[in-house]
Amino acid sequence: MKEILLVRHAQSDANKRNFAAFGNEESPLTEKGRTTQSDELRASLIARGIDPAKYRKRIMASTLRRTKETALCVGFSEELIDIGPEINESDVEGEIVSGIDVIRKHTTEGWVPEETRLRAERFIELVRDGELDYEIFFTHGLFIASVLTVLDSPEHRFSDKRGFIPLQASITPVRLL
């Protein structure tokens, strides 16, 4: 069994505007995300025995700016951060433009975008096979929800309002058999 940590990025400008950050690749972190939330993430990691300043294993962040920025603000060394599209956020711009509340659709129907579900399945397979040999992944809320949906992990259900979508700047430990 392998345990990985899925870390949702800290608050970005798009999140602060109460706008889903989907598709906002270059949305930087807010001051709250760079300081308060990153400090809290660092403390949570240290409580798990992971000191970002001393961590020497490689970690992965998505290709979207806010994940790498979160990892750096938490204290991970830039040369240890690999970037990969495997853990990018869902592309749900079409759903949002058409008026669909993707968070509500997820929580009421267990819905995740098909593309993201398939990517989550592949991600799980790659981690299990050791092809993505990381312990820590800095990623996004709906991607984490997709992984948890695929795993059908009721112990990870956050609430009826959030489903499997974690709060900003949080750590979701996942055990893969």
Side-chain angles (χ1 to χ4, degrees):
M1 181 173 1
K2 178 172 183 152
E3 181 175 87
I4 60 172
L5 302 178
L6 300 177
V7 181
R8 183 171 177 201
H9 64 82
Q11 184 184 65
S12 70
D13 282 342
N15 297 128
K16 184 178 179 182
R17 293 189 312 263
N18 199 21
F19 174 75
F22 304 115
N24 290 286
E25 293 182 16
E26 294 307 315
S27 183
L29 295 183
T30 62
E31 182 64 24
K32 177 182 178 182
R34 285 189 305 277
T35 58
T36 307
Q37 289 183 335
S38 291
D39 291 345
E40 291 168 357
L41 263 177
R42 183 180 315 101
S44 294
L45 286 163
I46 289 171
R48 293 177 169 280
I50 298 169
D51 182 346
K54 298 176 182 174
Y55 194 77
R56 294 297 165 245
K57 297 177 188 173
R58 303 199 70 73
I59 65 171
M60 180 178 259
S62 80
T63 63
L64 284 68
R65 173 181 177 175
R66 56 194 175 272
T67 58
K68 181 178 179 183
E69 192 175 356
T70 300
L72 290 170
C73 289
V74 166
F76 287 98
S77 174
E78 184 165 14
E79 59 267 3
L80 295 176
I81 302 172
D82 292 331
I83 304 298
E86 298 89 345
I87 59 174
N88 277 358
E89 182 58 288
S90 301
D91 181 5
V92 290
E93 186 176 342
E95 285 87 349
I96 292 171
V97 168
S98 69
I100 295 172
D101 180 337
V102 297
I103 306 303
R104 182 180 313 212
K105 188 171 178 68
H106 166 71
T107 59
T108 60
E109 301 173 22
W111 172 87
V112 293
E114 181 69 8
E115 176 277 331
T116 311
R117 185 188 60 74
L118 293 172
R119 202 160 25 88
E121 289 174 353
R122 178 74 178 137
F123 167 78
I124 292 165
E125 179 183 312
L126 290 171
V127 172
R128 282 181 175 150
D129 292 347
E131 293 180 51
L132 282 179
D133 191 23
Y134 303 91
E135 177 183 12
I136 304 170
F137 297 85
F138 281 81
T139 185
H140 306 271
L142 198 50
F143 181 77
I144 294 170
S146 297
V147 169
L148 298 174
T149 299
V150 167
L151 293 173
D152 193 21
S153 298
E155 72 273 13
H156 285 102
R157 191 164 177 84
F158 298 105
S159 71
D160 289 339
K161 292 177 98 176
R162 299 196 64 78
F164 289 121
I165 301 171
L167 294 172
Q168 297 164 3
S170 64
I171 301 168
T172 304
V174 176
R175 281 185 220 86
L176 300 173
L177 303 173

Coordinates of all heavy atoms in Angstrom, one line a residue, residues 64-133:
L64 N -0.4 24.6 -13.8 CA -1.0 25.9 -13.5 C -0.2 26.6 -12.4 O 0.2 26.0 -11.4 CB -2.5 25.7 -13.1 CG -3.4 25.4 -14.3 CD1 -3.2 24.1 -14.9 CD2 -4.8 25.5 -13.9
R65 N 0.0 27.8 -12.6 CA 0.9 28.6 -11.8 C 0.7 28.5 -10.3 O 1.6 28.4 -9.5 CB 0.8 30.1 -12.2 CG 1.5 31.1 -11.3 CD 1.3 32.5 -11.8 NE 1.9 33.4 -10.9 CZ 2.0 34.7 -11.1 NH1 1.4 35.2 -12.2 NH2 2.6 35.5 -10.3
R66 N -0.6 28.5 -9.9 CA -0.9 28.5 -8.4 C -0.4 27.3 -7.7 O -0.2 27.4 -6.5 CB -2.4 28.7 -8.2 CG -3.3 27.8 -8.9 CD -4.8 28.3 -8.9 NE -5.7 27.5 -9.6 CZ -5.9 27.6 -10.9 NH1 -5.3 28.5 -11.7 NH2 -6.8 26.8 -11.5
T67 N -0.3 26.1 -8.3 CA 0.2 25.0 -7.6 C 1.7 25.0 -7.3 O 2.1 24.8 -6.1 CB -0.1 23.7 -8.3 OG1 0.5 23.7 -9.6 CG2 -1.6 23.4 -8.5
K68 N 2.5 25.4 -8.3 CA 3.9 25.6 -8.0 C 4.2 26.7 -7.0 O 5.0 26.6 -6.1 CB 4.7 25.8 -9.3 CG 6.2 26.0 -9.1 CD 6.9 26.2 -10.4 CE 8.4 26.3 -10.2 NZ 9.1 26.6 -11.5
E69 N 3.4 27.8 -7.2 CA 3.6 28.9 -6.3 C 3.3 28.5 -4.9 O 4.0 28.9 -3.9 CB 2.7 30.1 -6.7 CG 3.0 31.4 -6.1 CD 2.2 32.5 -6.6 OE1 1.4 32.4 -7.6 OE2 2.3 33.6 -6.0
T70 N 2.3 27.7 -4.7 CA 1.9 27.2 -3.3 C 3.1 26.3 -2.8 O 3.5 26.5 -1.6 CB 0.6 26.3 -3.3 OG1 -0.5 27.2 -3.8 CG2 0.3 25.8 -2.0
A71 N 3.6 25.4 -3.6 CA 4.7 24.6 -3.1 C 5.9 25.4 -2.7 O 6.6 25.2 -1.7 CB 5.1 23.6 -4.2
L72 N 6.2 26.5 -3.5 CA 7.3 27.3 -3.2 C 7.1 28.1 -1.9 O 7.9 28.2 -1.0 CB 7.6 28.3 -4.3 CG 8.2 27.7 -5.6 CD1 8.2 28.7 -6.7 CD2 9.6 27.1 -5.3
C73 N 5.9 28.7 -1.7 CA 5.5 29.4 -0.5 C 5.5 28.5 0.7 O 5.8 29.0 1.8 CB 4.2 30.1 -0.7 SG 4.2 31.5 -1.9
V74 N 5.2 27.3 0.6 CA 5.2 26.3 1.7 C 6.7 26.1 2.1 O 6.9 25.7 3.3 CB 4.5 25.0 1.3 CG1 4.7 23.9 2.3 CG2 3.0 25.3 1.2
G75 N 7.6 26.2 1.2 CA 9.0 26.1 1.5 C 9.8 25.0 0.8 O 10.9 24.7 1.1
F76 N 9.1 24.3 -0.2 CA 9.8 23.3 -1.0 C 10.8 24.0 -2.0 O 10.6 25.1 -2.5 CB 8.8 22.5 -1.8 CG 8.1 21.5 -0.9 CD1 6.8 21.8 -0.5 CD2 8.6 20.3 -0.5 CE1 6.1 21.0 0.3 CE2 7.9 19.4 0.3 CZ 6.6 19.8 0.7
S77 N 11.9 23.4 -2.2 CA 13.0 23.9 -3.1 C 12.5 23.8 -4.5 O 12.0 22.7 -5.0 CB 14.2 23.0 -2.9 OG 15.2 23.4 -3.8
E78 N 12.7 24.8 -5.3 CA 12.3 24.9 -6.7 C 12.9 23.8 -7.5 O 12.2 23.2 -8.4 CB 12.6 26.2 -7.3 CG 12.0 26.4 -8.7 CD 12.0 27.8 -9.2 OE1 12.6 28.7 -8.6 OE2 11.3 28.0 -10.2
E79 N 14.1 23.4 -7.2 CA 14.7 22.4 -8.1 C 14.2 21.0 -7.8 O 14.4 20.0 -8.5 CB 16.3 22.4 -7.9 CG 16.8 22.1 -6.5 CD 17.0 23.4 -5.8 OE1 16.8 24.5 -6.3 OE2 17.5 23.3 -4.7
L80 N 13.3 20.8 -6.8 CA 12.7 19.5 -6.5 C 11.3 19.4 -7.0 O 10.6 18.4 -6.9 CB 12.7 19.3 -5.0 CG 14.1 19.1 -4.3 CD1 14.0 19.0 -2.8 CD2 14.9 17.9 -4.9
I81 N 10.8 20.5 -7.7 CA 9.4 20.5 -8.1 C 9.4 20.1 -9.6 O 9.9 20.8 -10.5 CB 8.8 21.9 -7.9 CG1 8.8 22.3 -6.5 CG2 7.3 21.9 -8.5 CD1 8.4 23.7 -6.2
D82 N 8.7 19.0 -9.9 CA 8.4 18.6 -11.3 C 7.0 19.1 -11.6 O 6.1 19.1 -10.8 CB 8.5 17.1 -11.4 CG 9.9 16.6 -11.2 OD1 10.9 17.3 -11.5 OD2 10.1 15.4 -10.8
I83 N 6.9 19.5 -12.9 CA 5.6 20.0 -13.4 C 5.0 18.9 -14.3 O 5.7 18.4 -15.1 CB 5.8 21.3 -14.1 CG1 6.5 22.3 -13.3 CG2 4.5 21.8 -14.7 CD1 5.8 22.7 -12.0
G84 N 3.7 18.6 -14.1 CA 3.0 17.6 -14.9 C 1.6 17.9 -15.2 O 0.8 18.2 -14.2
P85 N 1.1 17.7 -16.4 CA -0.3 18.0 -16.7 C -1.2 16.9 -16.2 O -2.4 17.1 -16.2 CB -0.2 18.0 -18.3 CG 0.9 17.1 -18.6 CD 1.9 17.3 -17.6
E86 N -0.6 15.8 -15.8 CA -1.5 14.7 -15.3 C -2.4 15.1 -14.1 O -3.5 14.5 -14.0 CB -0.6 13.5 -14.8 CG 0.3 12.9 -15.8 CD 1.7 13.5 -15.9 OE1 1.9 14.7 -15.4 OE2 2.6 12.9 -16.5
I87 N -2.0 16.1 -13.4 CA -2.7 16.5 -12.2 C -3.3 17.9 -12.3 O -3.7 18.6 -11.4 CB -1.9 16.4 -10.9 CG1 -0.6 17.3 -11.0 CG2 -1.5 15.0 -10.6 CD1 0.2 17.3 -9.7
N88 N -3.5 18.4 -13.6 CA -4.1 19.7 -13.8 C -5.6 19.7 -13.4 O -6.2 18.6 -13.3 CB -4.0 20.0 -15.3 CG -2.7 20.7 -15.7 OD1 -1.8 20.9 -14.8 ND2 -2.5 20.9 -17.0
E89 N -6.1 20.9 -13.3 CA -7.5 21.0 -12.9 C -8.4 20.6 -14.2 O -7.9 20.6 -15.3 CB -7.8 22.5 -12.5 CG -9.2 22.8 -12.1 CD -9.7 21.9 -10.9 OE1 -10.0 20.7 -11.1 OE2 -9.9 22.5 -9.9
S90 N -9.6 20.4 -13.9 CA -10.6 20.1 -14.9 C -10.8 21.3 -15.9 O -10.8 22.4 -15.4 CB -11.9 19.7 -14.3 OG -11.8 18.6 -13.5
D91 N -11.1 21.0 -17.1 CA -11.5 22.0 -18.0 C -13.0 22.0 -18.1 O -13.6 21.2 -18.8 CB -10.8 21.8 -19.4 CG -11.2 22.9 -20.4 OD1 -11.9 23.9 -20.0 OD2 -10.8 22.8 -21.6
V92 N -13.6 22.8 -17.3 CA -15.1 22.9 -17.3 C -15.6 24.2 -17.7 O -16.7 24.6 -17.4 CB -15.6 22.5 -15.9 CG1 -15.4 21.0 -15.6 CG2 -15.0 23.4 -14.8
E93 N -14.8 24.9 -18.5 CA -15.3 26.3 -19.0 C -16.6 26.2 -19.7 O -17.5 27.0 -19.5 CB -14.2 26.9 -19.8 CG -14.5 28.3 -20.2 CD -13.4 28.9 -21.0 OE1 -12.3 28.4 -21.0 OE2 -13.7 30.0 -21.7
G94 N -16.8 25.2 -20.5 CA -18.0 25.0 -21.3 C -19.2 24.8 -20.4 O -20.3 25.4 -20.6
E95 N -19.1 24.0 -19.3 CA -20.1 23.8 -18.3 C -20.5 25.1 -17.6 O -21.6 25.5 -17.4 CB -19.8 22.7 -17.3 CG -19.8 21.3 -17.9 CD -18.5 20.9 -18.5 OE1 -17.6 21.7 -18.8 OE2 -18.4 19.7 -18.8
I96 N -19.4 25.9 -17.2 CA -19.6 27.1 -16.5 C -20.3 28.1 -17.4 O -21.3 28.8 -17.0 CB -18.3 27.6 -15.9 CG1 -17.8 26.7 -14.8 CG2 -18.5 29.1 -15.4 CD1 -16.4 27.0 -14.3
V97 N -19.9 28.3 -18.6 CA -20.5 29.2 -19.6 C -21.9 28.9 -19.8 O -22.8 29.8 -19.9 CB -19.7 29.3 -20.9 CG1 -20.4 30.0 -22.0 CG2 -18.3 29.9 -20.6
S98 N -22.2 27.6 -19.8 CA -23.6 27.2 -20.1 C -24.5 27.3 -18.8 O -25.7 27.0 -18.8 CB -23.7 25.8 -20.6 OG -23.3 24.8 -19.7
G99 N -23.9 27.7 -17.7 CA -24.7 28.0 -16.5 C -24.7 26.8 -15.5 O -25.4 26.9 -14.5
I100 N -23.9 25.8 -15.7 CA -23.9 24.7 -14.8 C -23.0 25.0 -13.6 O -21.9 25.5 -13.8 CB -23.4 23.4 -15.5 CG1 -24.4 23.0 -16.6 CG2 -23.2 22.3 -14.5 CD1 -23.9 21.8 -17.5
D101 N -23.6 24.8 -12.4 CA -22.8 24.9 -11.2 C -22.1 23.6 -11.0 O -22.6 22.6 -10.5 CB -23.7 25.3 -10.0 CG -22.9 25.5 -8.7 OD1 -21.8 24.9 -8.6 OD2 -23.5 26.1 -7.8
V102 N -20.8 23.5 -11.4 CA -20.1 22.3 -11.4 C -19.9 21.7 -9.9 O -19.8 20.5 -9.7 CB -18.7 22.3 -12.1 CG1 -19.0 22.6 -13.6 CG2 -17.8 23.3 -11.5
I103 N -19.8 22.6 -9.0 CA -19.6 22.2 -7.6 C -20.9 21.5 -7.1 O -20.9 20.4 -6.5 CB -19.2 23.3 -6.7 CG1 -18.0 24.1 -7.2 CG2 -19.0 22.8 -5.2 CD1 -16.7 23.2 -7.4
R104 N -22.0 22.1 -7.4 CA -23.3 21.6 -7.0 C -23.5 20.2 -7.7 O -24.0 19.3 -7.1 CB -24.4 22.5 -7.3 CG -25.8 22.0 -6.8 CD -26.9 22.9 -7.1 NE -26.5 24.2 -6.6 CZ -27.3 25.1 -6.1 NH1 -28.6 24.9 -6.0 NH2 -26.8 26.3 -5.7
K105 N -23.2 20.2 -9.0 CA -23.4 19.0 -9.8 C -22.6 17.9 -9.2 O -23.0 16.7 -9.2 CB -23.0 19.3 -11.3 CG -23.4 18.2 -12.2 CD -23.2 18.6 -13.7 CE -23.4 17.6 -14.7 NZ -24.8 17.2 -14.8
H106 N -21.4 18.2 -8.8 CA -20.5 17.2 -8.2 C -21.2 16.7 -6.9 O -21.2 15.5 -6.6 CB -19.1 17.7 -7.9 CG -18.3 16.8 -7.0 ND1 -17.8 15.6 -7.4 CD2 -18.0 17.0 -5.7 CE1 -17.2 15.0 -6.4 NE2 -17.3 15.9 -5.3
T107 N -21.6 17.6 -6.0 CA -22.1 17.2 -4.7 C -23.4 16.5 -4.8 O -23.7 15.6 -4.0 CB -22.1 18.4 -3.7 OG1 -23.0 19.4 -4.3 CG2 -20.8 19.0 -3.5
T108 N -24.3 16.9 -5.7 CA -25.6 16.2 -5.7 C -25.6 15.0 -6.6 O -26.4 14.1 -6.3 CB -26.7 17.2 -6.3 OG1 -26.3 17.7 -7.6 CG2 -26.8 18.4 -5.3
E109 N -24.8 14.9 -7.6 CA -24.8 13.8 -8.6 C -23.6 12.9 -8.5 O -23.5 11.9 -9.2 CB -25.0 14.3 -10.0 CG -26.3 15.1 -10.2 CD -26.3 15.7 -11.6 OE1 -25.7 15.2 -12.5 OE2 -27.1 16.7 -11.7
G110 N -22.5 13.3 -7.8 CA -21.3 12.6 -7.8 C -20.6 12.8 -9.1 O -19.7 12.0 -9.5
W111 N -20.9 13.8 -9.9 CA -20.4 14.1 -11.2 C -19.0 14.6 -11.1 O -18.7 15.5 -10.3 CB -21.3 15.1 -11.9 CG -20.8 15.6 -13.2 CD1 -21.0 15.0 -14.5 CD2 -20.0 16.8 -13.5 NE1 -20.3 15.8 -15.4 CE2 -19.7 16.9 -14.8 CE3 -19.5 17.8 -12.6 CZ2 -19.0 17.9 -15.4 CZ3 -18.7 18.8 -13.2 CH2 -18.5 18.9 -14.6
V112 N -18.2 14.1 -12.0 CA -16.9 14.8 -12.3 C -16.8 14.7 -13.9 O -17.3 13.8 -14.5 CB -15.7 14.1 -11.7 CG1 -15.7 14.3 -10.2 CG2 -15.5 12.6 -12.0
P113 N -16.1 15.7 -14.5 CA -15.9 15.7 -15.9 C -15.3 14.4 -16.4 O -14.4 13.9 -15.8 CB -15.0 16.9 -16.2 CG -15.2 17.7 -15.0 CD -15.4 16.8 -13.8
E114 N -15.8 13.8 -17.5 CA -15.3 12.6 -18.0 C -13.8 12.6 -18.3 O -13.1 11.7 -17.9 CB -16.1 12.2 -19.3 CG -15.6 10.9 -19.9 CD -16.0 9.7 -19.1 OE1 -16.8 9.8 -18.1 OE2 -15.6 8.6 -19.5
E115 N -13.3 13.7 -18.9 CA -11.9 13.8 -19.1 C -11.1 13.7 -17.8 O -10.1 13.1 -17.8 CB -11.6 15.1 -19.9 CG -10.1 15.4 -20.1 CD -9.4 16.1 -19.0 OE1 -10.0 16.8 -18.1 OE2 -8.2 15.8 -18.9
T116 N -11.6 14.4 -16.8 CA -10.9 14.4 -15.5 C -11.0 13.0 -14.8 O -10.0 12.6 -14.2 CB -11.4 15.5 -14.6 OG1 -11.4 16.7 -15.4 CG2 -10.5 15.7 -13.4
R117 N -12.1 12.4 -14.9 CA -12.2 11.0 -14.4 C -11.3 10.1 -15.0 O -10.6 9.3 -14.3 CB -13.7 10.5 -14.5 CG -13.9 9.1 -13.8 CD -15.2 8.5 -14.1 NE -15.4 8.3 -15.5 CZ -14.9 7.3 -16.2 NH1 -14.0 6.5 -15.7 NH2 -15.1 7.2 -17.5
L118 N -11.1 10.1 -16.3 CA -10.2 9.3 -17.1 C -8.8 9.6 -16.7 O -7.9 8.7 -16.5 CB -10.4 9.4 -18.6 CG -11.7 8.9 -19.1 CD1 -11.9 9.2 -20.6 CD2 -11.8 7.4 -18.9
R119 N -8.5 10.9 -16.5 CA -7.1 11.3 -16.1 C -6.8 10.8 -14.7 O -5.7 10.4 -14.3 CB -7.0 12.8 -16.3 CG -5.6 13.3 -16.4 CD -5.4 14.6 -17.0 NE -6.5 15.5 -16.9 CZ -6.7 16.4 -15.9 NH1 -5.9 16.4 -14.8 NH2 -7.7 17.2 -15.8
A120 N -7.9 10.9 -13.8 CA -7.7 10.4 -12.4 C -7.4 8.9 -12.4 O -6.6 8.4 -11.6 CB -8.9 10.8 -11.6
E121 N -8.2 8.2 -13.2 CA -7.9 6.7 -13.3 C -6.5 6.4 -13.7 O -5.8 5.6 -13.2 CB -8.9 6.1 -14.3 CG -10.3 6.0 -13.8 CD -11.3 5.5 -14.8 OE1 -10.9 5.3 -16.0 OE2 -12.5 5.3 -14.5
R122 N -6.0 7.2 -14.7 CA -4.7 7.0 -15.2 C -3.7 7.4 -14.2 O -2.6 6.7 -14.0 CB -4.5 7.8 -16.5 CG -3.1 7.7 -17.1 CD -2.9 6.3 -17.8 NE -1.5 6.3 -18.4 CZ -0.7 5.3 -18.3 NH1 -1.0 4.2 -17.6 NH2 0.5 5.4 -18.8
F123 N -3.9 8.5 -13.5 CA -3.0 8.9 -12.4 C -2.9 7.8 -11.3 O -1.8 7.5 -10.9 CB -3.6 10.2 -11.8 CG -3.0 10.6 -10.5 CD1 -1.8 11.3 -10.5 CD2 -3.6 10.4 -9.3 CE1 -1.2 11.6 -9.3 CE2 -3.1 10.8 -8.1 CZ -1.8 11.4 -8.1
I124 N -4.0 7.3 -10.9 CA -4.0 6.2 -9.9 C -3.1 5.1 -10.4 O -2.3 4.5 -9.6 CB -5.4 5.8 -9.5 CG1 -6.1 7.0 -8.8 CG2 -5.4 4.5 -8.7 CD1 -7.6 6.8 -8.7
E125 N -3.3 4.7 -11.6 CA -2.6 3.6 -12.2 C -1.1 3.9 -12.2 O -0.2 3.1 -11.9 CB -3.1 3.3 -13.6 CG -2.4 2.2 -14.4 CD -3.0 2.1 -15.8 OE1 -4.2 2.1 -15.9 OE2 -2.2 2.0 -16.7
L126 N -0.7 5.1 -12.6 CA 0.7 5.5 -12.7 C 1.4 5.5 -11.3 O 2.5 5.1 -11.2 CB 0.8 6.9 -13.4 CG 0.5 6.9 -14.9 CD1 0.4 8.4 -15.4 CD2 1.5 6.1 -15.7
V127 N 0.6 6.0 -10.3 CA 1.2 6.0 -9.0 C 1.3 4.6 -8.5 O 2.4 4.2 -7.9 CB 0.3 6.8 -8.0 CG1 0.7 6.7 -6.6 CG2 0.3 8.3 -8.4
R128 N 0.3 3.7 -8.6 CA 0.4 2.3 -8.2 C 1.5 1.6 -8.8 O 2.2 0.8 -8.2 CB -0.9 1.6 -8.5 CG -2.0 1.9 -7.5 CD -3.3 1.2 -7.9 NE -4.3 1.4 -6.9 CZ -5.6 1.4 -7.1 NH1 -6.1 1.1 -8.4 NH2 -6.5 1.6 -6.2
D129 N 1.8 1.9 -10.1 CA 2.8 1.2 -10.9 C 4.2 1.8 -10.6 O 5.2 1.3 -11.1 CB 2.5 1.2 -12.4 CG 1.3 0.4 -12.7 OD1 0.9 -0.5 -11.9 OD2 0.8 0.5 -13.9
G130 N 4.3 2.9 -9.9 CA 5.5 3.6 -9.6 C 6.1 4.5 -10.7 O 7.2 5.0 -10.6
E131 N 5.2 4.7 -11.7 CA 5.7 5.6 -12.8 C 5.6 7.1 -12.4 O 6.3 7.9 -12.9 CB 4.8 5.3 -14.0 CG 5.1 3.9 -14.6 CD 4.3 3.7 -15.9 OE1 4.3 4.5 -16.8 OE2 3.7 2.6 -15.9
L132 N 4.7 7.4 -11.5 CA 4.7 8.7 -10.9 C 5.1 8.5 -9.4 O 4.2 8.3 -8.5 CB 3.3 9.3 -10.9 CG 2.9 9.9 -12.3 CD1 1.5 10.5 -12.2 CD2 3.8 11.0 -12.7
D133 N 6.4 8.4 -9.2 CA 6.9 8.0 -7.9 C 7.1 9.3 -7.0 O 8.3 9.6 -6.7 CB 8.2 7.2 -8.1 CG 8.6 6.6 -6.8 OD1 7.8 6.3 -5.9 OD2 9.9 6.3 -6.7

